[in-house]
Every structure is written in C-alpha cells, then in structure tokens.
Amino acid sequence: MKALILTCALLTLSLQAGAADKGLTEEQMGLSKTSVNVDPDPATFEYRQADPSTSGVLPRAFSGAPPQVPHGIEDFIPITRDSNTCVSCHQQPDQIGKKKVKGEPTPLPATHYTDVKNNALHMGRYNCTQCHTPQANVNPLVGNTFKRK
C-alpha cells in the first residue's frame, strides 16, 4: 500500500514538473491575437460640432429608441438636477403632439413630465445623456447584422 501511494506521488510530481517547463506563450493567452503586454490606443474622434439649430434630426436605431443628440454637448455638461441646459431649449410642453418645425428643438415628450399642464418635469429624467447620446463619426468596434424591417 505504501509503495502504491509513493508511486502515485512520484508520478504526480513528475507530470507537474514536465508541464511547468512548457507553459503558454503570450499569444496563447486570452482571445486577442496580440501580446498581453501591449496596451492599444483607441482611435481619436470628435463629436459632431453642428449648431443645435441647424443639426437636424438623426435617425433612430429602432422603433421606440430615444432620439440621438445631433449636436455637441461640451458646453452643457455636467448635467445635474440643478443645472440642466438641455431643458432650456427642449422643455416645451405646449409643443407636445404638434408637428416638429425644422430648426426648432424637439420638445420633451409627455413621459418626461409629472404634470404637462403645469410644466412639471419629472426630476428622475434630468440625466439626459443616460438615454440620449451625442454622436461621433466613428467606425463600429463590432460588426452589426441588424436589419430594419
């Protein structure tokens, strides 16, 4: 019995010693085909610099998707509950349901208000960029096969 245990222990140690010599190369680690020690730099980009009154409306990704921001927002951030420049143009409850006039800001929808008649904005909706994102002219990082019907 002792001989069997000793043989198993020696066999285990010899297998581990042989495996430790081979190891993995950097190219075999992870999914990337580059070295794990390389820190890639992403491509630089700029957001659209269009003036809000001339930027137009961007297409929505799908039905019910929040509108994209077609203009730069660098001058509007940080967006906080007490300081939200977006609402100074977009909070127009009297325009809800009416046809949008070209060059005019898109009004906030009724879902963003607690009381549309009294112009009471729902304070949980102040963080505009949580749903509405500014757009940049960049190539997608991952291919997309989505097709509109």
Side-chain angles (χ1 to χ4, degrees), residues 25-54:
T25 65
E26 290 180 1
E27 288 75 24
Q28 293 173 317
M29 292 185 205
L31 298 175
S32 177
K33 299 300 179 200
T34 61
S35 170
V36 295
N37 296 318
V38 173
D39 189 14
D41 291 327
T44 58
F45 65 91
E46 289 187 19
Y47 289 111
R48 292 177 57 157
Q49 298 301 315
D51 180 70
S53 64
T54 61

Side-chain angles (χ1 to χ4, degrees), residues 10-147:
L10 288 172
L11 183 60
T12 302
L13 289 173
S14 66
L15 288 175
Q16 288 177 351
D21 290 338
K22 294 180 183 176
L24 294 173
T25 65
E26 290 180 1
E27 288 75 24
Q28 293 173 317
M29 292 185 205
L31 298 175
S32 177
K33 299 300 179 200
T34 61
S35 170
V36 295
N37 296 318
V38 173
D39 189 14
D41 291 327
T44 58
F45 65 91
E46 289 187 19
Y47 289 111
R48 292 177 57 157
Q49 298 301 315
D51 180 70
S53 64
T54 61
S55 58
V57 177
L58 296 174
R60 296 191 188 202
F62 55 89
S63 178
Q68 301 174 56
V69 179
H71 56 79
I73 62 167
E74 292 81 17
D75 297 336
F76 306 156
I77 53 178
I79 298 171
T80 66
R81 183 176 56 87
D82 298 321
S83 174
N84 184 336
T85 309
C86 300
V87 296
S88 64
C89 289
H90 294 280
Q91 190 171 2
Q92 302 175 19
D94 56 320
Q95 295 298 315
I96 294 174
K98 294 182 181 174
K99 183 170 173 64
K100 184 180 176 316
V101 178
K102 187 174 182 173
E104 292 293 317
T106 303
L108 296 172
T111 58
H112 287 46
Y113 294 89
T114 56
D115 185 357
V116 176
K117 291 179 183 175
N118 292 319
N119 198 17
L121 186 63
H122 183 281
M123 287 287 63
R125 302 282 187 151
Y126 75 86
N127 188 6
C128 305
T129 54
Q130 183 173 343
C131 300
H132 306 279
T133 56
Q135 300 303 301
N137 188 18
V138 295
N139 293 324
L141 297 174
V142 178
N144 185 354
T145 58
F146 176 79
K147 302 282 185 217

